[in-house]
Amino acid sequence: MDSVMSKADELDRLVGELVNLDEQRVGIGTKLVDLEHYFRKAGYPELSRRALEAFRTRYLGRVLELADGMRE
């Protein structure tokens, strides 16, 4: 029973870590979108493209990859 409770505690810790990572990831994604918008409005298309590309490949791409991995 102790080993089961230990594993349940481990599960709770891991879920907490995932929540923190998710909040960080959302914050980073929001910042990337804000930067893309700022650079586009300021007339810097190359910087806008870089921010958008980072969002697509690193942020959104990873989210889609994770979602695909959750399929049964």
Side-chain angles (χ1 to χ4, degrees):
M1 184 66 172
D2 286 341
S3 65
V4 171
M5 293 309 294
S6 174
K7 291 296 184 182
D9 289 342
E10 181 180 358
L11 174 61
D12 289 341
R13 281 191 303 275
L14 287 173
V15 169
E17 287 181 40
L18 282 173
V19 167
N20 290 335
L21 287 172
D22 183 54
E23 289 172 357
Q24 289 176 355
R25 180 173 287 279
V26 168
I28 291 169
T30 299
K31 288 177 184 179
L32 284 170
V33 169
D34 289 346
L35 284 171
E36 187 281 326
H37 180 75
Y38 174 83
F39 289 133
R40 185 170 31 90
K41 292 291 185 182
Y44 291 87
E46 178 59 27
L47 292 172
S48 173
R49 186 196 63 72
R50 282 178 50 197
L52 184 58
E53 189 64 22
F55 179 81
R56 285 183 184 156
T57 59
R58 302 305 264 160
Y59 180 84
L60 189 58
R62 184 65 178 140
V63 170
L64 294 174
E65 181 182 307
L66 289 169
D68 190 49
M70 300 222 20
R71 292 184 192 170
E72 292 188 57

